[in-house]
Amino acid sequence: MSSRSLLANAIRALSMDAVQQANSGHPGAPMGMADIAEVLYNDFMQHNPQNPSWPDRDRFVMSNGHASMLPYSVLHLSGYDLPIEEIRNFRQLHSKTPGHPEYGYAPGVETTTGPLGQGIGNAAGMALSEKIMAAQFNREGHEIVNHYTYSFLGDGCLMEGISHEVCSLAGTLELGKLICFYDDNGISIDGDVIGWFADDTTKRFEAYGWQVLSVDGHNAEEIKAATEKARAEIVKPTLIRCKTLIGKGAPNKEGGHDVHGAPLGADEIAATRKAMGWDYEPFEIPDEVYAGWDAKEKGAELEATWNEKFAGYKAQYPTEAAEFARRMAGDLPDNWEEVATQAVKDIADQALTQATRSSSQGALNAFGPHLPEFLGGSADLTPSNNTFFKGSKYINSAHGTDKDFTGNYISYGVREFGMSAIMNGVTLHGGLMPYGATFLMFSEYARNALRMAALMKIRSIFVFTHDSIGLGEDGPTHQAVEQIPTLRMIPNMNVWRACDAVESVVSWKSAIEKKEQPSCLIFSRQALPHMERDEATLANVSKGGYILKDTDGTPDVIVIATGSEVQLAMNAAEQSDKKVRVVSMPSTTEFDAQDAAYKESVLPSAVTARVAVEAAIMDGWYKYVGLNGEVIGMSTFGESAPAPQLFEYFGITTEAVVEAINKVTA
């Protein structure tokens, strides 16, 4: 047995043993890709197990995340803080080795890839970040950003539509340091994929502008040569098609779908050990294998070399070095609080009446000059989303800059899901703060990437405009009615729906400051009036829900509203003969996070007469108004007509709010 085979077989042994002990998991892909992983990690990967967050490390993404025992095995073997006990606890409660790789659990896991296809999207985002950060910070003779992004993926990733979105864009943007290894084993859960996946993958990726190479996925020399060729191609991303046997080494099951997602079984594991010449007990790894995999010394040397390089850079470019360190740490500028406070005050003083999508652009104009880490973009709706601010600069050659990656704005094309997964990869890479926009209705296409951002606790900012039936004539296919409440249901998602320019800038401030939380910022197409606030009221906007208009003494009724419907609540309060408190609640998620005393001060439990109004599905508002309260909103899809007619038709009017006030106070 060659030393390479011995090292690769350690992955196979750990993978089959862990899956067997858990009685759950996917041994086939880790066993099939073990030879590829051995070459990649031992011959090419720049990483330091003792410092998994070293800025210039290579990034590795396991897009076919069900094969999680492959990265877990590699991380354990190469010296990361992932002891053998964690391998034994594969898929067990609170282990560092859950069923799919989860960001923040095992050191060295760069992302939660989740459902198939998103990993390659994340990887594209990381490669994009490397290219942008290199353009922004590298100087002649001082290349402090110079690393690769590697991704493993399988047939399932390529069948998912998101792979088309992100791989097409990666080719267009010439992300030459993105190298993907395709586990071309021809097998998925249902069996031989030829019956449902007969694409010419080579021609497909060549059409995207990729370099495509083909190798025997069990021949180390072929894998090494192809990887060297991929690294030498600085313009085109590379797909290396690795012809493999799923479950390689299992004599009675390799090459078939039975080994894809189930334990091998005791008999087959014994036969596999014999076939591989692996004469060790379960979870036993000989010292010579550990020695062959150990990357701690090499990794420390690589990082030390980079540290020397960075020290030289810092000596010559101290301002840029400090900025690089700040941005890679994800910290905001030292003067951020001063800048943000002044921006909120300035916009409040302007008393603007305009669509909140325009107010959002105003917030970007205020914050953008102070946040060089901003990386904006839109899914082909920039003029409608208003996400291009005064300091924006396209990187795409289509806009006349010949792929100048010193820019800060991406035209993502009509790729909502791909955009969002790429944004998550950008955030995870570090150094950039991405925001990307589309119509609120199309958040449905992006939804799973939003969920992954919330699950990973990362600061990706999703901008959604055209927020309700206020969209008007485009009709029910484009009018969001259920999207706002369902976005609020995503755990750890910061959701804001602004009623005017002031709430718009505060929502941006909140999103920027949420280091461990993604945000959905929701804005209107139609113009909305400015709401007057005193200094104390202005300070409470950031709490997500606050008293916008009050009455003397205890109110008879509380009316809660968001977005474009706040003006209806304010008008109704003026017309009603009751003592009405109006609560604007741009962010239920932020309001819910406040302490009990503050929430009681805004929504006193003694006042049970309550009305909520929002041009969206109504169910979520009953937790604020109670079962005896009234909610004015949508219970159906919209219609195609001018917005004013639609609000009248669906009964979302000042008159309806007044009627509801009278009903709950009767």
Side-chain angles (χ1 to χ4, degrees), residues 419-443:
M419 173 183 72
S420 302
I422 287 171
M423 286 169 56
N424 288 344
V426 169
T427 304
L428 290 160
H429 176 278
L432 298 167
M433 186 187 300
Y435 66 87
T438 185
F439 287 173
L440 177 58
M441 188 64 246
F442 306 144
S443 67

Short mmCIF file of all heavy atoms in Angstrom, two decimals, residues 419-443:
data_model
loop_
_atom_site.label_atom_id
_atom_site.label_comp_id
_atom_site.label_asym_id
_atom_site.label_seq_id
_atom_site.Cartn_x
_atom_site.Cartn_y
_atom_site.Cartn_z
N MET A 419 -27.36 35.20 -5.87
CA MET A 419 -26.87 36.43 -5.24
C MET A 419 -26.77 36.26 -3.73
O MET A 419 -25.76 36.61 -3.10
CB MET A 419 -27.79 37.60 -5.57
CG MET A 419 -27.48 38.89 -4.82
SD MET A 419 -28.64 40.24 -5.17
CE MET A 419 -30.10 39.66 -4.28
N SER A 420 -27.82 35.71 -3.13
CA SER A 420 -27.88 35.62 -1.68
C SER A 420 -26.87 34.62 -1.13
O SER A 420 -26.24 34.86 -0.09
CB SER A 420 -29.30 35.24 -1.26
OG SER A 420 -30.23 36.19 -1.74
N ALA A 421 -26.67 33.50 -1.83
CA ALA A 421 -25.67 32.53 -1.40
C ALA A 421 -24.26 33.09 -1.57
O ALA A 421 -23.38 32.85 -0.73
CB ALA A 421 -25.82 31.22 -2.18
N ILE A 422 -24.04 33.82 -2.65
CA ILE A 422 -22.74 34.47 -2.85
C ILE A 422 -22.49 35.48 -1.75
O ILE A 422 -21.38 35.56 -1.19
CB ILE A 422 -22.69 35.13 -4.25
CG1 ILE A 422 -22.55 34.06 -5.33
CG2 ILE A 422 -21.54 36.13 -4.34
CD1 ILE A 422 -22.70 34.58 -6.74
N MET A 423 -23.51 36.26 -1.41
CA MET A 423 -23.37 37.23 -0.32
C MET A 423 -22.95 36.55 0.98
O MET A 423 -22.10 37.06 1.71
CB MET A 423 -24.69 37.97 -0.11
CG MET A 423 -25.02 39.00 -1.17
SD MET A 423 -26.72 39.60 -1.01
CE MET A 423 -26.75 40.18 0.70
N ASN A 424 -23.54 35.40 1.28
CA ASN A 424 -23.15 34.68 2.49
C ASN A 424 -21.69 34.28 2.44
O ASN A 424 -20.97 34.36 3.44
CB ASN A 424 -24.04 33.46 2.68
CG ASN A 424 -25.45 33.81 3.11
OD1 ASN A 424 -25.73 34.93 3.55
ND2 ASN A 424 -26.37 32.87 2.98
N GLY A 425 -21.23 33.85 1.27
CA GLY A 425 -19.81 33.51 1.13
C GLY A 425 -18.92 34.72 1.32
O GLY A 425 -17.84 34.63 1.92
N VAL A 426 -19.36 35.86 0.81
CA VAL A 426 -18.61 37.11 0.97
C VAL A 426 -18.49 37.46 2.46
O VAL A 426 -17.41 37.81 2.96
CB VAL A 426 -19.29 38.26 0.19
CG1 VAL A 426 -18.69 39.61 0.57
CG2 VAL A 426 -19.18 38.03 -1.31
N THR A 427 -19.61 37.36 3.17
CA THR A 427 -19.59 37.67 4.60
C THR A 427 -18.65 36.74 5.35
O THR A 427 -17.85 37.17 6.18
CB THR A 427 -21.01 37.55 5.18
OG1 THR A 427 -21.90 38.40 4.47
CG2 THR A 427 -21.03 37.93 6.65
N LEU A 428 -18.73 35.45 5.04
CA LEU A 428 -17.91 34.46 5.73
C LEU A 428 -16.42 34.64 5.44
O LEU A 428 -15.59 34.39 6.31
CB LEU A 428 -18.35 33.05 5.32
CG LEU A 428 -19.73 32.63 5.85
CD1 LEU A 428 -20.28 31.47 5.03
CD2 LEU A 428 -19.65 32.24 7.32
N HIS A 429 -16.10 35.08 4.25
CA HIS A 429 -14.69 35.29 3.91
C HIS A 429 -14.07 36.36 4.79
O HIS A 429 -12.94 36.25 5.23
CB HIS A 429 -14.55 35.68 2.43
CG HIS A 429 -13.15 36.00 2.02
ND1 HIS A 429 -12.56 37.24 2.23
CD2 HIS A 429 -12.20 35.23 1.41
CE1 HIS A 429 -11.32 37.22 1.76
NE2 HIS A 429 -11.09 36.02 1.26
N GLY A 430 -14.84 37.43 5.05
CA GLY A 430 -14.33 38.53 5.85
C GLY A 430 -13.80 39.65 4.99
O GLY A 430 -13.36 39.45 3.86
N GLY A 431 -13.88 40.86 5.55
CA GLY A 431 -13.32 42.03 4.88
C GLY A 431 -14.31 42.86 4.12
O GLY A 431 -14.03 44.02 3.78
N LEU A 432 -15.47 42.29 3.82
CA LEU A 432 -16.51 43.00 3.06
C LEU A 432 -17.85 42.82 3.75
O LEU A 432 -18.09 41.81 4.41
CB LEU A 432 -16.58 42.47 1.63
CG LEU A 432 -15.32 42.65 0.76
CD1 LEU A 432 -15.41 41.81 -0.50
CD2 LEU A 432 -15.11 44.12 0.41
N MET A 433 -18.72 43.81 3.58
CA MET A 433 -20.07 43.76 4.14
C MET A 433 -21.06 43.83 2.97
O MET A 433 -21.34 44.89 2.45
CB MET A 433 -20.31 44.93 5.10
CG MET A 433 -21.65 44.87 5.83
SD MET A 433 -22.00 46.37 6.82
CE MET A 433 -20.61 46.38 7.96
N PRO A 434 -21.60 42.68 2.56
CA PRO A 434 -22.45 42.68 1.37
C PRO A 434 -23.89 43.05 1.66
O PRO A 434 -24.45 42.69 2.69
CB PRO A 434 -22.36 41.23 0.89
CG PRO A 434 -22.20 40.45 2.16
CD PRO A 434 -21.36 41.32 3.07
N TYR A 435 -24.47 43.79 0.74
CA TYR A 435 -25.92 43.96 0.71
C TYR A 435 -26.37 43.70 -0.72
O TYR A 435 -25.68 44.05 -1.68
CB TYR A 435 -26.35 45.33 1.22
CG TYR A 435 -25.92 46.51 0.36
CD1 TYR A 435 -26.71 46.95 -0.71
CD2 TYR A 435 -24.74 47.20 0.62
CE1 TYR A 435 -26.33 48.04 -1.49
CE2 TYR A 435 -24.34 48.28 -0.15
CZ TYR A 435 -25.14 48.70 -1.21
OH TYR A 435 -24.77 49.76 -1.99
N GLY A 436 -27.50 43.06 -0.86
CA GLY A 436 -28.02 42.72 -2.18
C GLY A 436 -29.52 42.88 -2.20
O GLY A 436 -30.18 42.64 -1.19
N ALA A 437 -30.05 43.28 -3.34
CA ALA A 437 -31.45 43.68 -3.39
C ALA A 437 -32.23 43.01 -4.51
O ALA A 437 -31.68 42.62 -5.54
CB ALA A 437 -31.55 45.20 -3.55
N THR A 438 -33.53 42.91 -4.27
CA THR A 438 -34.50 42.51 -5.28
C THR A 438 -35.87 42.95 -4.79
O THR A 438 -35.99 43.60 -3.75
CB THR A 438 -34.45 41.00 -5.55
OG1 THR A 438 -35.34 40.68 -6.64
CG2 THR A 438 -34.86 40.19 -4.33
N PHE A 439 -36.92 42.63 -5.54
CA PHE A 439 -38.27 42.89 -5.06
C PHE A 439 -38.59 41.92 -3.92
O PHE A 439 -38.12 40.78 -3.91
CB PHE A 439 -39.30 42.70 -6.17
CG PHE A 439 -39.28 43.78 -7.23
CD1 PHE A 439 -40.06 43.65 -8.37
CD2 PHE A 439 -38.53 44.93 -7.09
CE1 PHE A 439 -40.07 44.63 -9.35
CE2 PHE A 439 -38.52 45.92 -8.07
CZ PHE A 439 -39.30 45.76 -9.21
N LEU A 440 -39.41 42.37 -2.99
CA LEU A 440 -39.76 41.53 -1.84
C LEU A 440 -40.35 40.21 -2.30
O LEU A 440 -40.09 39.16 -1.70
CB LEU A 440 -40.74 42.27 -0.93
CG LEU A 440 -41.25 41.48 0.28
CD1 LEU A 440 -40.11 41.00 1.16
CD2 LEU A 440 -42.23 42.32 1.09
N MET A 441 -41.14 40.22 -3.36
CA MET A 441 -41.75 38.99 -3.84
C MET A 441 -40.70 37.94 -4.16
O MET A 441 -40.89 36.74 -3.94
CB MET A 441 -42.61 39.28 -5.08
CG MET A 441 -43.45 38.11 -5.55
SD MET A 441 -44.70 37.64 -4.35
CE MET A 441 -44.12 36.03 -3.90
N PHE A 442 -39.56 38.38 -4.67
CA PHE A 442 -38.54 37.43 -5.11
C PHE A 442 -37.65 36.96 -3.97
O PHE A 442 -36.70 36.19 -4.19
CB PHE A 442 -37.71 38.03 -6.24
CG PHE A 442 -38.56 38.51 -7.39
CD1 PHE A 442 -38.22 39.64 -8.11
CD2 PHE A 442 -39.73 37.84 -7.73
CE1 PHE A 442 -39.01 40.09 -9.15
CE2 PHE A 442 -40.53 38.29 -8.77
CZ PHE A 442 -40.17 39.42 -9.49
N SER A 443 -37.95 37.41 -2.76
CA SER A 443 -37.29 36.80 -1.60
C SER A 443 -37.60 35.31 -1.54
O SER A 443 -36.85 34.54 -0.93
CB SER A 443 -37.74 37.48 -0.30
OG SER A 443 -39.11 37.23 -0.03
#
